[in-house]
Amino acid sequence: MEIIIQSDAEAATAVATRVIARLLREKPNAVLGLATGSTPLLLYRALIEMKLDWRIVTTFNLDEYVGLPKEHKQSYHSFMWENLFRHVNISKKNVHIPDGMSKDIEKCCAQYENKIRASGGIDLQVLGIGTDGHIGFNEPTSSLTSRTRIKTLTRQTHLDNARFFGSADKVPHHVITMGLGTFMEARQCLLLAFGAKKANAIAATVEGPLAAINPASILQMHPNAKLCIDEAAAGKLKHAEYYRWVYKNKPEWQVF
Ligand code: GLP
């Protein structure tokens, strides 16, 4: 795991933006795993401004609420089209987001996994993190080898996401999410986290034990996982000084 601590969200986003921009330039038909939430908003804005070529890029989104039609303002379909896709030259047929209205969720999840496999696998998976340590919507106790499936949100996630729906009661209970095992097959994972409210989850992810109760800790097993975090999110890391030193002293050829 590479822990990149930057002064603020803008600086941490700049590192992540460089990694993705480089990938899209080197591999124009890259397959990206994309996240929603407030965290990647700066990243998407920066990528839009770079005017990269998305014509043959393929994307797979992490998750979607069950029961929300695509057109619903809070669906992750709406989020992605509003905040990224409509601003870049991506081809609609290359965009994949789980269908929260599917009549056969199990089949829809299996097909999603098949499509990821058929696309050649995810080159780079963007991740945020919940205050309870979830990645995608893999809530605490998610199987560490899980695949795309239906999950039930925790009370904590309801409270955290109430701001988007007006109240916690309006947040759907069920979601479709890519699994922790799905992320493990991505060639690279890039997790972003900003603000003091993420500090406990980041400390558990980086320095806690590998445990289903802290789903993001699965990244300890990933051969190429980067965490781009701000000082506030790094606030509870015991070895922050070491991580800062490592990043500052990376050999020239490793820096991008
Ligand atoms: C959401 C999403 C996650 C996201 C996380 C954090 O509910 N399903 O993919 O990483 O919770 O959200 P935010 O970035 O708004 O803090």
Side-chain angles (χ1 to χ4, degrees):
M1 221 189 265
E2 183 178 13
I3 299 104
I4 304 170
I5 305 171
Q6 298 286 292
S7 53
D8 52 27
E10 283 72 20
T13 296
V15 175
T17 308
R18 279 201 297 278
V19 174
I20 297 175
R22 182 165 120 157
L23 172 67
L24 296 196
R25 286 189 186 114
E26 282 176 0
K27 189 175 178 188
N29 63 343
V31 180
L32 294 180
L34 296 177
T36 52
S38 6
T39 306
L41 284 173
L42 285 173
L43 172 71
Y44 295 155
R45 208 168 303 151
L47 289 172
I48 293 165
E49 277 168 16
M50 290 181 95
K51 298 202 182 312
L52 297 158
D53 190 357
W54 291 72
R55 256 173 321 158
I56 51 170
V57 171
T58 296
T59 63
F60 287 91
N61 259 82
L62 286 173
D63 43 19
E64 181 58 287
Y65 292 106
V66 169
L68 288 199
K70 289 179 185 166
E71 311 71 46
H72 191 286
K73 252 187 94 191
Q74 295 308 330
S75 79
Y76 286 161
H77 273 83
S78 298
F79 177 99
M80 288 309 299
W81 281 98
E82 184 55 34
N83 294 297
L84 178 64
F85 297 145
R86 77 182 176 91
H87 306 281
V88 296
N89 63 342
I90 197 160
S91 162
K92 202 173 173 188
K93 67 175 176 19
N94 293 340
V95 168
H96 304 90
I97 305 175
D99 178 8
M101 295 299 283
S102 168
K103 294 269 176 294
D104 188 341
I105 289 184
E106 215 171 306
K107 189 167 158 202
C108 153
C109 294
Q111 283 172 346
Y112 205 68
E113 288 280 333
N114 288 340
K115 279 187 197 155
I116 294 174
R117 227 164 283 135
S119 74
I122 292 172
D123 290 301
L124 185 146
Q125 177 66 60
V126 177
L127 295 166
I129 188 167
T131 57
D132 64 359
H134 72 223
I135 46 178
F137 265 138
N138 293 277
E139 295 287 31
T141 70
S142 285
S143 156
L144 296 176
T145 58
S146 51
R147 315 299 308 201
T148 304
R149 69 213 183 291
I150 190 166
K151 283 295 291 179
T152 308
L153 297 181
T154 59
R155 180 71 187 148
Q156 184 59 54
T157 301
H158 270 131
L159 295 173
D160 289 347
N161 287 4
R163 66 190 195 280
F164 299 115
F165 288 83
S167 78
D169 310 337
K170 296 202 178 107
V171 181
H173 281 278
H174 294 106
V175 291
I176 295 174
T177 180
M178 277 160 62
L180 298 174
T182 320
F183 305 149
M184 288 304 284
E185 282 172 12
R187 286 175 200 101
Q188 184 173 176
C189 287
L190 190 55
L191 185 144
L192 299 163
F194 314 134
K197 64 182 187 300
K198 301 291 172 75
N200 283 329
I202 288 297
T205 300
V206 178
E207 297 173 346
L210 172 66
I213 199 71
N214 181 45
S217 65
I218 190 65
L219 295 176
Q220 295 175 14
M221 297 286 288
H222 197 285
N224 189 357
K226 278 188 185 21
L227 270 61
C228 297
I229 62 180
D230 66 1
E231 285 289 353
K236 300 220 165 143
L237 289 171
K238 288 198 187 85
H239 304 285
E241 226 15 81
Y242 171 66
Y243 312 137
R244 284 192 199 94
W245 195 94
V246 170
Y247 186 65
K248 213 171 148 208
N249 293 283
K250 268 177 100 162
E252 190 70 30
W253 57 272
Q254 273 195 332
V255 179
F256 45 83

